[in-house]
Amino acid sequence: MNSPISRSTLVTQPKPTKQYVRLWLNKAKPVVWLMPFAVVFYLFQLAPMLWVLVNSFIYDEVFGLDNYLEVLDSAFMRQAFGNSLWLSIWSSFIGLSIAALLVSSLRKVGGRLRDAVIAFTNMSSNFAGVPLSFAFIIILGTNGAVTLLLKQYGLLGDFDLYGQWGLLAIYIYFQIPLAVLLLYPAFDALNDDWQSAASLLGANTFQYWCRIVLPVLSPALLGTFIILVANAMGAYASVYALTSGNYNLITIRIASLVSGDLFLEPNLAAAISVILMCILAFITVINQWLISKSYSAKKGSK
């Protein structure tokens, strides 16, 4: 004989609404805390970018590609892009090389000296813009202290601070501190015992760096290089303070089209900005592809 079903089993259990509300609030808290950042990100990042993108297609109140065609057909604009890319790539490569040597040396010195150098690097990374240009004018300008001293001994030659090589020197100067700060944590991945093990196997210092150090540090080096290129491509204050806008760089051209006294063409400046963003995006995509290749190569070697 089957046992009778109790009335308690027939009564539906109440839904734990409080528990559901509590879980929903726990999930909503990160979104609520993220809202101020999302608003600021939209107002200062997405909205200006969308404005630039839309206005880059407006030419004489007509929607079209005339601004881009004008930029591509202008030899003056192509020269500005070429000068900016030349300065950015070479200053990033030289600054990254010097920073890598500096960080490698810092790992072998005492703690106090290393902390002092890192603190000085952190401080010098903020020394840019007009003060940096003024310092270079005093030191390496036409009548600078170091310029007159080197010319007295015939060591300087035809160096011109206000030309291509002078700008390259300034770019390299403000690239080195940033590269040091970005590379310093990456060098912690190196084990001091690796060099000893490599030497026991017959590898010299050059082989150790080429076959062990560089493959391990390649993602950090490539990522830092891209950041340095972007940093150099967007540099404006130092160049403008040094050359008064007389050197043809892409940031100088954008500023002259937006705030110039004679010609105001914000739509053309927007088109140049979009092309600049596309160049940086292309470089970033190539960088991510190379990094993914390096990571897959490391996994395959394990």
Side-chain angles (χ1 to χ4, degrees):
M1 183 177 179
N2 296 330
S3 59
I5 300 174
S6 61
R7 294 181 59 188
S8 60
T9 59
L10 297 177
V11 178
T12 58
Q13 297 291 333
K15 294 182 179 180
T17 56
K18 291 184 178 180
Q19 184 178 1
Y20 289 155
V21 172
R22 190 179 298 109
L23 291 175
W24 184 84
L25 290 176
N26 290 334
K27 292 181 179 180
K29 278 182 181 180
V31 179
V32 173
W33 287 109
L34 192 63
M35 285 301 296
F37 171 77
V39 172
V40 173
F41 181 77
Y42 173 77
L43 292 177
F44 294 96
Q45 294 289 335
L46 292 182
M49 190 178 299
L50 292 175
W51 184 93
V52 167
L53 182 61
V54 172
N55 282 270
S56 66
F57 293 98
I58 299 176
Y59 185 84
D60 289 338
E61 300 181 357
V62 178
F63 203 78
L65 298 174
D66 299 271
N67 290 320
Y68 293 96
L69 295 176
E70 183 176 348
V71 172
L72 297 177
D73 291 339
S74 175
F76 191 60
M77 293 297 178
R78 292 198 302 269
Q79 184 190 42
F81 277 104
N83 291 339
S84 296
L85 286 173
W86 187 88
L87 286 172
S88 300
I89 292 174
W90 278 109
S91 65
S92 300
F93 177 76
I94 298 174
L96 183 64
S97 302
I98 296 174
L101 294 176
L102 178 59
V103 174
S104 177
S105 302
L106 283 177
R107 296 183 71 251
K108 300 179 181 180
V109 299
R112 291 185 178 180
L113 180 60
R114 181 169 59 246
D115 294 340
V117 173
I118 293 298
F120 175 77
T121 304
N122 191 13
M123 179 186 66
S124 60
S125 64
N126 298 313
F127 185 66
V130 178
L132 177 62
S133 300
F134 182 68
F136 266 81
I137 290 173
I138 294 176
I139 297 173
L140 291 173
T142 305
N143 295 316
V146 178
T147 303
L148 296 178
L149 181 63
L150 294 178
K151 283 186 176 180
Q152 184 178 357
Y153 295 98
L155 299 176
L156 194 58
D158 296 331
F159 176 79
D160 183 15
L161 179 64
Y162 310 102
Q164 185 181 39
W165 298 104
L167 289 176
L168 180 61
I170 291 181
Y171 273 60
I172 292 173
Y173 179 86
F174 68 71
Q175 295 278 53
I176 292 175
L178 179 60
V180 169
L181 295 177
L182 293 174
L183 287 179
Y184 185 76
F187 271 75
D188 291 336
L190 299 178
N191 194 334
D192 295 334
D193 296 332
W194 291 353
Q195 188 170 7
S196 300
S199 62
L200 290 176
L201 294 175
N204 54 29
T205 304
F206 179 78
Q207 291 173 333
Y208 166 72
W209 274 89
C210 291
R211 298 189 178 184
I212 298 177
V213 176
L214 291 181
V216 171
L217 295 179
S218 57
L221 293 173
L222 291 173
T224 303
F225 179 78
I226 295 302
I227 294 175
L228 294 179
V229 170
N231 182 49
M233 287 289 289
Y236 169 72
S238 300
V239 180
Y240 185 82
L242 186 66
T243 64
S244 300
N246 294 324
Y247 194 79
N248 191 18
L249 291 179
I250 198 60
T251 51
I252 300 295
R253 297 281 68 80
I254 293 174
S256 64
L257 292 172
V258 173
S259 59
D261 297 331
L262 298 177
F263 303 101
L264 292 177
E265 299 183 62
N267 296 330
L268 183 60
I272 298 173
S273 301
V274 172
I275 295 175
L276 180 60
M277 288 188 293
C278 292
I279 292 174
L280 294 178
F282 175 75
I283 296 174
T284 304
V285 170
I286 296 298
N287 170 65
Q288 293 298 324
W289 180 76
L290 292 174
I291 290 177
S292 63
K293 286 292 183 180
S294 64
Y295 277 128
S296 61
K298 290 179 185 178
K299 290 181 181 179
S301 61
K302 290 182 180 180

